[in-house]
Amino acid sequence: MKPANPRILTINGGSSSIKFALFGVGESLQRIIEGGIERIGFPDATLSVKGVNLSDNFSRIVAAPDHKAGVDVLMDWFEKWDGRNSLTAVGHRVVHGGPKYSKPQRITAEMLEDLHKFSSFDPEHMPEEIQLIEAFLRRFPNLPQVACFDTAFHHDLPRVAKMLPIPRHYEAQGVRRYGFHGLSYEFLMGELARLEGSKAAQGRVILAHLGSGASLAAVHNGKSMDTSMSFTPTAGVPMGTRSGDLDPGLVWYLSCTERLDAKKFNEMVNFQSGLLGISETSSDMHDLLKNETTDVRAAEAVALFCYQVKKWIGAFAAALGGLDTLVFSAGIGENSSLVRSTICEGLGFLGIELEDKQNLANAGMISTATSRVSVRVIRTDEEWMIAKTLCRVLELE
């Protein structure tokens, strides 16, 4: 029996943050309140909330030395604000489903045990996400929880795109290309179908999720054909603090010359590289664009990012046998007209032509009327996608 007036909470845990949103379930999903805790592990960790009612909006410093403490702060606040028994279910973004989980499903003791095993696949995200699930389980033992896997969208990649060119026996251990940002990509494909129709969504599409974490996906007939991230989210294009693809010989070289062991190398490529590593000042594209005329390091970081994204677009257009639609999304993709124009410059041979005024305005359609490729800016919404998925799994709609 469906509960009356279901209310569902979505949890999206990052390496130093927890985002949440509360939805009411009716004829459609209604976002009631949203927010999150940023800078977990730092003295200035901040809980921010934004609601339909202005009286619900606030931002304050909280004690959140780790994700367990952070989610306790969040749940304490939520119980005060909305009461202990107001929730129907919780949906979690789980970065890695490993080789076993390709569809969203209700979290069980067996799944939790599996997720602990998969933690080594993505040690930067999985342990914290498991902490969040277990914290809710302790506080609300009877509340249904659903895992929405960020790898699921790419689960059926063509075999040639899945395989990694290392000794074959590692594949039996689950070592292959998985791809990430799947919840974002699923949302974007739904929006593309809504905006342009099913024919466009079934065409040759490149999705560019460009934020602090960045990746691209090649999609045809609504299915992922290839993606820039690989076994871990560190691969692909340079990101805020992640390196993206590197020469694997660097591991040996730096171990010999710098005595850099595997742990330190992992820290370097995940937290000290990308835009931060090149600029030596910031991992934030907004900061770099502001300083690129006065700081050559900032300018080079921006240029490298745009150049690498452009290369992936070219590669994926080749893999798809052409291109019908290019979609920019996430923080950089949605908000930086300069980054978009720099990426698209020189891609006229693919049929990409931008309309400058539309691009500067961050309009939904930024290609010219004569462009052979439709270029769009679509705001992604992972929280909405988690909520929609949870409703489907628990049959709440």
Side-chain angles (χ1 to χ4, degrees), residues 3-21:
N5 304 315
R7 288 153 73 90
I8 57 179
L9 188 67
T10 67
I11 297 293
N12 188 342
S15 53
S16 62
S17 66
I18 305 170
K19 296 177 185 176
F20 76 91

PDB file of all heavy atoms in Angstrom, residues 3-21:
ATOM      1  N   PRO A   3       2.108   4.928   0.825  1.00  0.00           N
ATOM      2  CA  PRO A   3       1.864   5.860   1.927  1.00  0.00           C
ATOM      3  C   PRO A   3       1.186   7.126   1.416  1.00  0.00           C
ATOM      4  O   PRO A   3       1.371   7.526   0.269  1.00  0.00           O
ATOM      5  CB  PRO A   3       3.267   6.160   2.451  1.00  0.00           C
ATOM      6  CG  PRO A   3       4.171   5.865   1.299  1.00  0.00           C
ATOM      7  CD  PRO A   3       3.533   4.781   0.518  1.00  0.00           C
ATOM      8  N   ALA A   4       0.369   7.754   2.290  1.00  0.00           N
ATOM      9  CA  ALA A   4      -0.269   9.016   1.928  1.00  0.00           C
ATOM     10  C   ALA A   4       0.774  10.127   1.956  1.00  0.00           C
ATOM     11  O   ALA A   4       1.614  10.170   2.845  1.00  0.00           O
ATOM     12  CB  ALA A   4      -1.399   9.318   2.905  1.00  0.00           C
ATOM     13  N   ASN A   5       0.747  11.011   0.956  1.00  0.00           N
ATOM     14  CA  ASN A   5       1.655  12.160   0.890  1.00  0.00           C
ATOM     15  C   ASN A   5       3.118  11.775   1.148  1.00  0.00           C
ATOM     16  O   ASN A   5       3.740  12.243   2.101  1.00  0.00           O
ATOM     17  CB  ASN A   5       1.237  13.233   1.894  1.00  0.00           C
ATOM     18  CG  ASN A   5      -0.205  13.665   1.689  1.00  0.00           C
ATOM     19  OD1 ASN A   5      -0.617  13.891   0.567  1.00  0.00           O
ATOM     20  ND2 ASN A   5      -0.948  13.755   2.783  1.00  0.00           N
ATOM     21  N   PRO A   6       3.684  10.897   0.320  1.00  0.00           N
ATOM     22  CA  PRO A   6       5.074  10.478   0.555  1.00  0.00           C
ATOM     23  C   PRO A   6       6.052  11.654   0.468  1.00  0.00           C
ATOM     24  O   PRO A   6       5.873  12.576  -0.328  1.00  0.00           O
ATOM     25  CB  PRO A   6       5.347   9.483  -0.580  1.00  0.00           C
ATOM     26  CG  PRO A   6       4.040   9.201  -1.214  1.00  0.00           C
ATOM     27  CD  PRO A   6       3.121  10.313  -0.900  1.00  0.00           C
ATOM     28  N   ARG A   7       7.060  11.610   1.312  1.00  0.00           N
ATOM     29  CA  ARG A   7       8.130  12.619   1.297  1.00  0.00           C
ATOM     30  C   ARG A   7       9.446  11.864   1.282  1.00  0.00           C
ATOM     31  O   ARG A   7       9.692  11.005   2.135  1.00  0.00           O
ATOM     32  CB  ARG A   7       8.044  13.539   2.518  1.00  0.00           C
ATOM     33  CG  ARG A   7       6.860  14.508   2.441  1.00  0.00           C
ATOM     34  CD  ARG A   7       6.394  14.911   3.825  1.00  0.00           C
ATOM     35  NE  ARG A   7       7.298  15.818   4.494  1.00  0.00           N
ATOM     36  CZ  ARG A   7       7.243  17.154   4.415  1.00  0.00           C
ATOM     37  NH1 ARG A   7       6.342  17.733   3.647  1.00  0.00           N
ATOM     38  NH2 ARG A   7       8.072  17.912   5.086  1.00  0.00           N
ATOM     39  N   ILE A   8      10.284  12.180   0.326  1.00  0.00           N
ATOM     40  CA  ILE A   8      11.529  11.430   0.162  1.00  0.00           C
ATOM     41  C   ILE A   8      12.726  12.365   0.227  1.00  0.00           C
ATOM     42  O   ILE A   8      12.677  13.501  -0.243  1.00  0.00           O
ATOM     43  CB  ILE A   8      11.538  10.615  -1.143  1.00  0.00           C
ATOM     44  CG1 ILE A   8      11.309  11.510  -2.359  1.00  0.00           C
ATOM     45  CG2 ILE A   8      10.498   9.517  -1.088  1.00  0.00           C
ATOM     46  CD1 ILE A   8      11.330  10.773  -3.673  1.00  0.00           C
ATOM     47  N   LEU A   9      13.794  11.862   0.823  1.00  0.00           N
ATOM     48  CA  LEU A   9      15.022  12.626   0.983  1.00  0.00           C
ATOM     49  C   LEU A   9      16.083  12.041   0.070  1.00  0.00           C
ATOM     50  O   LEU A   9      16.265  10.823   0.018  1.00  0.00           O
ATOM     51  CB  LEU A   9      15.494  12.549   2.440  1.00  0.00           C
ATOM     52  CG  LEU A   9      16.671  13.436   2.848  1.00  0.00           C
ATOM     53  CD1 LEU A   9      16.286  14.912   2.806  1.00  0.00           C
ATOM     54  CD2 LEU A   9      17.160  13.053   4.250  1.00  0.00           C
ATOM     55  N   THR A  10      16.789  12.891  -0.667  1.00  0.00           N
ATOM     56  CA  THR A  10      17.903  12.422  -1.494  1.00  0.00           C
ATOM     57  C   THR A  10      19.212  12.869  -0.867  1.00  0.00           C
ATOM     58  O   THR A  10      19.321  13.986  -0.362  1.00  0.00           O
ATOM     59  CB  THR A  10      17.811  12.962  -2.930  1.00  0.00           C
ATOM     60  OG1 THR A  10      17.997  14.385  -2.931  1.00  0.00           O
ATOM     61  CG2 THR A  10      16.469  12.616  -3.561  1.00  0.00           C
ATOM     62  N   ILE A  11      20.191  11.982  -0.897  1.00  0.00           N
ATOM     63  CA  ILE A  11      21.509  12.253  -0.326  1.00  0.00           C
ATOM     64  C   ILE A  11      22.564  12.036  -1.410  1.00  0.00           C
ATOM     65  O   ILE A  11      22.616  10.986  -2.040  1.00  0.00           O
ATOM     66  CB  ILE A  11      21.804  11.317   0.872  1.00  0.00           C
ATOM     67  CG1 ILE A  11      20.797  11.560   1.995  1.00  0.00           C
ATOM     68  CG2 ILE A  11      23.228  11.518   1.375  1.00  0.00           C
ATOM     69  CD1 ILE A  11      20.910  12.918   2.672  1.00  0.00           C
ATOM     70  N   ASN A  12      23.373  13.060  -1.609  1.00  0.00           N
ATOM     71  CA  ASN A  12      24.409  13.025  -2.643  1.00  0.00           C
ATOM     72  C   ASN A  12      25.738  13.373  -1.968  1.00  0.00           C
ATOM     73  O   ASN A  12      26.052  14.536  -1.753  1.00  0.00           O
ATOM     74  CB  ASN A  12      24.066  14.034  -3.752  1.00  0.00           C
ATOM     75  CG  ASN A  12      24.974  13.924  -4.960  1.00  0.00           C
ATOM     76  OD1 ASN A  12      26.052  13.343  -4.892  1.00  0.00           O
ATOM     77  ND2 ASN A  12      24.553  14.503  -6.063  1.00  0.00           N
ATOM     78  N   GLY A  13      26.485  12.343  -1.597  1.00  0.00           N
ATOM     79  CA  GLY A  13      27.721  12.551  -0.854  1.00  0.00           C
ATOM     80  C   GLY A  13      28.920  12.711  -1.760  1.00  0.00           C
ATOM     81  O   GLY A  13      29.100  11.925  -2.693  1.00  0.00           O
ATOM     82  N   GLY A  14      29.732  13.743  -1.508  1.00  0.00           N
ATOM     83  CA  GLY A  14      30.987  13.929  -2.227  1.00  0.00           C
ATOM     84  C   GLY A  14      32.152  13.689  -1.293  1.00  0.00           C
ATOM     85  O   GLY A  14      31.970  13.311  -0.132  1.00  0.00           O
ATOM     86  N   SER A  15      33.359  13.936  -1.769  1.00  0.00           N
ATOM     87  CA  SER A  15      34.545  13.674  -0.960  1.00  0.00           C
ATOM     88  C   SER A  15      34.629  14.617   0.244  1.00  0.00           C
ATOM     89  O   SER A  15      35.210  14.267   1.266  1.00  0.00           O
ATOM     90  CB  SER A  15      35.813  13.782  -1.806  1.00  0.00           C
ATOM     91  OG  SER A  15      35.852  15.017  -2.481  1.00  0.00           O
ATOM     92  N   SER A  16      34.060  15.828   0.133  1.00  0.00           N
ATOM     93  CA  SER A  16      34.082  16.760   1.271  1.00  0.00           C
ATOM     94  C   SER A  16      32.738  17.458   1.443  1.00  0.00           C
ATOM     95  O   SER A  16      32.670  18.543   2.016  1.00  0.00           O
ATOM     96  CB  SER A  16      35.180  17.811   1.075  1.00  0.00           C
ATOM     97  OG  SER A  16      34.931  18.579  -0.086  1.00  0.00           O
ATOM     98  N   SER A  17      31.665  16.829   0.961  1.00  0.00           N
ATOM     99  CA  SER A  17      30.357  17.474   1.036  1.00  0.00           C
ATOM    100  C   SER A  17      29.239  16.441   1.133  1.00  0.00           C
ATOM    101  O   SER A  17      29.421  15.266   0.802  1.00  0.00           O
ATOM    102  CB  SER A  17      30.129  18.352  -0.207  1.00  0.00           C
ATOM    103  OG  SER A  17      30.043  17.545  -1.364  1.00  0.00           O
ATOM    104  N   ILE A  18      28.086  16.905   1.598  1.00  0.00           N
ATOM    105  CA  ILE A  18      26.849  16.124   1.553  1.00  0.00           C
ATOM    106  C   ILE A  18      25.754  17.059   1.053  1.00  0.00           C
ATOM    107  O   ILE A  18      25.434  18.055   1.709  1.00  0.00           O
ATOM    108  CB  ILE A  18      26.437  15.580   2.938  1.00  0.00           C
ATOM    109  CG1 ILE A  18      27.554  14.758   3.588  1.00  0.00           C
ATOM    110  CG2 ILE A  18      25.164  14.737   2.824  1.00  0.00           C
ATOM    111  CD1 ILE A  18      27.283  14.409   5.048  1.00  0.00           C
ATOM    112  N   LYS A  19      25.207  16.775  -0.118  1.00  0.00           N
ATOM    113  CA  LYS A  19      24.070  17.542  -0.621  1.00  0.00           C
ATOM    114  C   LYS A  19      22.794  16.762  -0.339  1.00  0.00           C
ATOM    115  O   LYS A  19      22.792  15.530  -0.363  1.00  0.00           O
ATOM    116  CB  LYS A  19      24.201  17.780  -2.132  1.00  0.00           C
ATOM    117  CG  LYS A  19      25.387  18.628  -2.536  1.00  0.00           C
ATOM    118  CD  LYS A  19      25.454  18.745  -4.050  1.00  0.00           C
ATOM    119  CE  LYS A  19      26.702  19.490  -4.494  1.00  0.00           C
ATOM    120  NZ  LYS A  19      26.832  19.521  -5.969  1.00  0.00           N
ATOM    121  N   PHE A  20      21.702  17.485  -0.099  1.00  0.00           N
ATOM    122  CA  PHE A  20      20.438  16.808   0.122  1.00  0.00           C
ATOM    123  C   PHE A  20      19.304  17.604  -0.505  1.00  0.00           C
ATOM    124  O   PHE A  20      19.425  18.804  -0.794  1.00  0.00           O
ATOM    125  CB  PHE A  20      20.169  16.631   1.622  1.00  0.00           C
ATOM    126  CG  PHE A  20      19.719  17.894   2.308  1.00  0.00           C
ATOM    127  CD1 PHE A  20      18.367  18.204   2.407  1.00  0.00           C
ATOM    128  CD2 PHE A  20      20.637  18.787   2.839  1.00  0.00           C
ATOM    129  CE1 PHE A  20      17.940  19.376   3.015  1.00  0.00           C
ATOM    130  CE2 PHE A  20      20.230  19.958   3.456  1.00  0.00           C
ATOM    131  CZ  PHE A  20      18.867  20.256   3.546  1.00  0.00           C
ATOM    132  N   ALA A  21      18.188  16.936  -0.727  1.00  0.00           N
ATOM    133  CA  ALA A  21      16.967  17.608  -1.164  1.00  0.00           C
ATOM    134  C   ALA A  21      15.786  16.790  -0.665  1.00  0.00           C
ATOM    135  O   ALA A  21      15.838  15.558  -0.621  1.00  0.00           O
ATOM    136  CB  ALA A  21      16.921  17.739  -2.685  1.00  0.00           C
TER     137      ALA A  21
END
